[in-house]
Amino acid sequence: MSEHELLLPIVDEENTCLPLAVSAVSKYWDVSLPFSEAREIAKKYPNVRGSILIEGIEIAERHGLGSLILHSSLSELKKIIDMGIPPIVILPGLYETVQHASVISGYDQKEKSIIHYMPQPDQIGVIPEQQFDKLWEEDGRLMILIAPTDIISSIKVENKTREKSNRLCFVSEKLNLQNRHDDAIKTLIDAISLDETNSTASCLLGGIYNEKNSQECIKYYEQSIKHNKLCYLAYRGLGNYYLKTKQYEKADKYYTQAISINPNRFGPIYKNRGIVRLEQNIKKKAKEDFENYLKYTPNAKDQSNIKQAIQELDAECGN
């Protein structure tokens, strides 16, 4: 065990409104959050898969803990761990999961690695710190701290306005999932007014406008990329918008940029780029994309259709 590693309790239960990461960190501070409360709140989100982090954070706050949501750095992350605080970070997901929250339980200075909390007692999650930092940067190096209020108040926050801007991003996601889209837009505009460099806020706002099929999304995705050149979700969002509007060359460009940032992140992006390339009559590359879609989305519901498309493209390409 590394001297810079924190011991967290084993937690195996989670809920849409009480993510495992929040529950584990709260239990680390000897605060057991009630799943009955989380289940009641989750009734507002009957069709939501995954977790709603801000709901879990707010449950923790109602039970006496404090929180901060910060844009951070590798050096600051290590300082927080050495203070005895296990941070939660937002990282890229795999397969069909876009993002996930992970508790960082420590780091190994000698091995230059970051240690992830694993809920299974016989497993250790270790990743080289350079690889971790690159992945973390894709989503703005967001770090959520949950701890007793006296500890939270002792942490020096250089820019409290930025922290508020970050929090509004999480609140907006909750509002959007409640179909309160106008409130979510207003919240994100407020977040950007507090911190115009908040790439996450711009990307989320672009996403809502994209859902509305509004070209206003372009402005905010581009603004997001301006402040975070590795914002995978903004490139993907632009690709999605241009696919919907049948601007296939532009869609191809932005999907390709997203994939170049992280080729393993989100399997369905390959299907979308495959469709774009079919529309451009680039059949061989479309076939490769469909194959990658199946590779990175092993549980795809449309597997049989995609396999059939690959066979047809094989025949057309003379393979």
Side-chain angles (χ1 to χ4, degrees):
M1 180 175 171
S2 166
E3 62 180 302
H4 303 286
E5 187 173 357
L6 307 174
L7 286 175
L8 278 85
I10 300 300
V11 174
D12 56 10
E13 185 180 2
E14 61 180 327
N15 177 277
T16 298
C17 294
L18 184 47
L20 186 142
V22 175
S23 185
V25 171
S26 298
K27 278 196 173 182
Y28 171 82
W29 298 112
D30 291 325
V31 177
S32 293
L33 302 178
F35 277 91
S36 57
E37 183 177 342
R39 284 190 286 270
E40 190 62 31
I41 298 168
K43 291 176 182 177
K44 295 188 290 186
Y45 307 97
N47 301 313
V48 172
R49 294 190 307 162
S51 59
I52 305 166
L53 197 55
I54 191 65
E55 290 285 13
I57 293 169
E58 290 175 351
I59 291 173
E61 290 172 338
R62 285 195 291 274
H63 290 269
L65 295 172
S67 71
L68 289 170
I69 303 175
L70 308 169
H71 285 286
S72 193
S73 65
L74 202 54
S75 60
E76 287 299 316
L77 182 84
K78 291 177 179 180
K79 287 178 185 177
I80 289 294
I81 291 167
D82 288 339
M83 289 174 65
I85 304 170
I88 299 171
V89 299
I90 305 300
L91 293 173
L94 290 172
Y95 303 134
E96 294 177 87
T97 302
V98 178
Q99 290 176 316
H100 76 281
S102 179
V103 182
I104 304 303
S105 58
Y107 65 95
D108 190 315
Q109 193 67 24
K110 183 179 178 181
E111 298 294 329
K112 298 291 183 188
S113 60
I114 300 297
I115 304 167
H116 291 256
Y117 164 77
M118 301 292 284
Q120 297 81 11
D122 57 343
Q123 291 187 15
I124 300 174
V126 178
I127 182 172
E129 65 177 40
Q130 281 191 332
Q131 182 184 349
F132 166 82
D133 196 39
K134 183 179 181 298
L135 290 170
W136 193 24
E137 188 178 3
E138 287 180 33
D139 293 293
R141 292 196 179 100
L142 282 168
M143 176 174 72
I144 298 102
L145 305 180
I146 298 173
T149 53
D150 59 328
I151 293 176
I152 289 293
S153 62
S154 72
I155 297 170
K156 184 180 179 182
V157 179
E158 292 184 1
N159 191 327
K160 292 184 179 180
T161 301
R162 291 194 74 187
E163 196 278 336
K164 185 176 180 181
S165 176
N166 294 335
R167 180 173 291 266
L168 289 176
C169 291
F170 286 80
V171 171
S172 76
E173 290 185 284
K174 174 178 76 170
L175 294 171
N176 200 40
L177 289 169
Q178 292 174 359
N179 295 317
R180 295 166 59 187
H181 307 303
D182 290 342
D183 289 337
I185 288 171
K186 182 181 182 302
T187 300
L188 288 169
I189 290 172
D190 288 345
I192 293 168
S193 70
L194 289 169
D195 178 12
E196 64 178 16
T197 69
N198 191 334
S199 172
T200 302
S202 295
C203 187
L204 288 170
L205 188 51
I208 295 175
Y209 280 125
N210 202 349
E211 289 171 6
K212 290 175 170 287
N213 298 317
S214 168
Q215 68 176 10
E216 191 76 4
C217 71
I218 298 171
K219 167 186 169 182
Y220 288 104
Y221 283 138
E222 289 178 345
Q223 189 169 300
S224 178
I225 291 166
K226 176 184 175 183
H227 298 297
N228 180 5
K229 295 291 190 286
L230 291 181
C231 187
Y232 175 101
L233 295 178
Y235 290 109
R236 189 194 72 147
L238 283 166
N240 289 345
Y241 177 75
Y242 287 125
L243 170 58
K244 287 191 294 185
T245 54
K246 300 183 179 181
Q247 299 179 66
Y248 299 120
E249 194 171 323
K250 287 184 177 180
D252 194 330
K253 171 188 170 183
Y254 285 107
Y255 283 141
T256 299
Q257 285 181 285
I259 289 168
S260 71
I261 291 168
N262 189 341
N264 306 319
R265 176 162 183 171
F266 186 63
I269 196 172
Y270 286 101
K271 182 174 77 170
N272 285 5
R273 191 174 67 172
I275 292 167
V276 163
R277 288 178 166 177
L278 269 185
E279 293 290 346
Q280 297 177 94
N281 204 34
I282 310 173
K283 293 181 179 179
K284 185 176 180 181
K285 287 190 174 182
K287 172 180 165 287
E288 291 171 1
D289 276 337
F290 290 144
E291 289 170 341
N292 277 321
Y293 168 60
L294 294 179
K295 174 183 175 182
Y296 293 113
T297 319
N299 298 316
K301 293 180 180 179
D302 56 355
Q303 275 190 47
S304 58
N305 291 337
I306 296 297
K307 286 178 180 177
Q308 183 178 342
I310 290 170
Q311 288 176 351
E312 291 172 1
L313 286 167
D314 262 337
E316 290 179 34
C317 295
N319 293 333

